[in-house]
Amino acid sequence: MAPSEAVVHAWTRLERAHRAALPTVEDRLKAAGLPPLAWYDVLLELERAGAAGLRPFELQKAMLFTQYNLSRLVDRMSAKGYVARAASAEDGRGQLLTITRAGRALRRRAWPVYAAAIDAAVGAHLSDAEARTLGDLLRKLY
Amino acid sequence: MAPSEAVVHAWTRLERAHRAALPTVEDRLKAAGLPPLAWYDVLLELERAGAAGLRPFELQKAMLFTQYNLSRLVDRMSAKGYVARAASAEDGRGQLLTITRAGRALRRRAWPVYAAAIDAAVGAHLSDAEARTLGDLLRKLY
DNA sequence: ACGCACTAGATGCGATTGCATAGAAATGGA
DNA sequence: TCCATTTCTATGCAATCGCATCTAGTGCGT
């Protein structure tokens, strides 16, 4: 109930680190004429899912997105032709999302920009060992 | 330019940890009838600044907020009577923001809820030593 | 088969964000 | 001093988010 000072500090810095790093990445993507980060994440998940595709609710849980935000994000992405929506075979309510060829191309094109941005936002500040420790600790939070 | 795998993992987990923790905190504040987290941060900064107050651009840099978002946040907060806007004495363009009595009261009232939320989102998952290490590593990112 | 609670997903509407730009005052030369 | 540049803050407008709710299917108990 009453967090220790170390916990409060960790929280505060999580907030600030995120507020510093995210715009760095988003700005670089935008500067390269690429869509926002969330689009990349969706494409990556769908690409990993392969031909089997993913249901929106699975994507939602994987990405920790709200239901309505994912619904609209998929709207935008399918309007641009990066993801395909098909009726689910097993569930009459549901859909099955798959990445399109254009989606794969976009993800491939975005990766170098994204990678450079990650390096600028994170890699430039930490040694590899530190990055590993940081990742391990953050993993415990969710 | 090409981040190591450890760096990419750290980035990914930073994103996810933040997406998990932030809604936890925001939801609890809302459930208690309190305003969003950003309001708390503003009140805290202004309270620390004391009677001298802070200029909007100082607050903006301290909080890593965009200029227009801070401008509008201050609009809302001063409309509710939590912060006071006064013309700056030294700079004819600028303002001087101070926290009001009501603002201090709100912050005091919000803290127990916020503290419990931080503990749920962070403290529950980490030992104190881990929290300290995490805080130190995150500090390097900004 | 029926009724009912639950899940999947979409959507109207108001609030907030992001972008671009405006306006007004300070600052730094020539 | 005068002009150009930069800094500080606000704002119109479009895009996105958050909330509440809706529709359609599913699945279970009887």
Side-chain angles (χ1 to χ4, degrees):
Chain A
M1 275 300 177
S4 71
E5 200 187 328
V7 167
V8 175
H9 263 90
W11 160 257
T12 301
R13 286 168 178 174
L14 175 63
E15 266 291 291
R16 294 177 65 80
H18 188 257
R19 257 191 253 176
L22 186 62
T24 300
V25 172
E26 294 282 16
D27 287 353
R28 282 181 180 230
L29 288 172
K30 184 164 322 190
L34 293 164
L37 184 52
W39 290 43
Y40 185 92
D41 291 336
V42 167
L43 293 175
L44 183 57
E45 292 291 337
L46 288 181
E47 201 162 352
R48 281 179 175 151
L54 281 179
R55 299 284 300 276
F57 76 93
E58 296 176 302
L59 205 44
Q60 176 192 327
K61 270 158 189 83
M63 298 180 56
L64 305 180
F65 249 56
T66 57
Q67 186 270 318
Y68 48 87
N69 275 340
L70 179 64
S71 176
R72 280 159 166 156
L73 177 56
V74 171
D75 279 352
R76 281 170 264 165
M77 293 183 72
S78 74
K80 294 283 188 184
Y82 297 129
V83 318
R85 280 176 144 144
S88 167
E90 317 101 33
D91 189 331
R93 297 163 296 186
Q95 314 199 328
L96 193 64
L97 305 176
T98 47
I99 190 170
T100 63
R101 175 179 305 276
R104 271 187 292 271
L106 175 62
R107 198 193 70 73
R108 209 174 320 128
R109 191 155 60 82
W111 171 243
V113 177
Y114 186 26
I118 292 172
D119 199 57
V122 178
H125 302 284
L126 300 176
S127 73
D128 249 47
E130 288 172 330
R132 202 172 320 276
T133 303
L134 177 59
D136 288 347
L137 289 172
L138 288 169
R139 182 65 187 80
K140 303 190 176 209
L141 295 187
Y142 59 92
Chain B
M1 276 299 177
S4 72
E5 200 187 328
V7 167
V8 175
H9 264 89
W11 160 256
T12 301
R13 287 169 176 173
L14 175 62
E15 266 290 290
R16 293 177 67 80
H18 188 257
R19 258 192 250 176
L22 186 61
T24 300
V25 173
E26 294 281 17
D27 287 354
R28 282 181 178 231
L29 289 171
K30 183 164 324 187
L34 293 164
L37 183 53
W39 290 43
Y40 185 92
D41 290 336
V42 167
L43 292 176
L44 183 57
E45 292 291 337
L46 288 181
E47 201 163 353
R48 281 179 175 152
L54 280 179
R55 298 285 300 276
F57 76 94
E58 297 176 301
L59 205 45
Q60 175 192 328
K61 271 160 188 79
M63 299 180 56
L64 305 180
F65 248 56
T66 57
Q67 185 270 318
Y68 48 88
N69 275 339
L70 180 64
S71 175
R72 281 162 165 153
L73 177 56
V74 170
D75 279 352
R76 292 185 290 255
M77 294 183 71
S78 73
K80 295 283 188 185
Y82 298 129
V83 318
R85 280 176 143 146
S88 166
E90 318 102 32
D91 189 331
R93 296 162 296 185
Q95 314 201 328
L96 193 63
L97 306 176
T98 48
I99 189 171
T100 64
R101 175 178 305 277
R104 271 187 293 270
L106 175 61
R107 197 194 71 73
R108 209 173 320 128
R109 191 155 58 82
W111 171 243
V113 177
Y114 186 26
I118 292 172
D119 199 57
V122 177
H125 303 283
L126 300 176
S127 73
D128 249 48
E130 288 172 330
R132 201 172 321 278
T133 304
L134 177 59
D136 289 347
L137 289 172
L138 288 169
R139 181 67 186 80
K140 302 190 176 210
L141 295 186
Y142 59 93

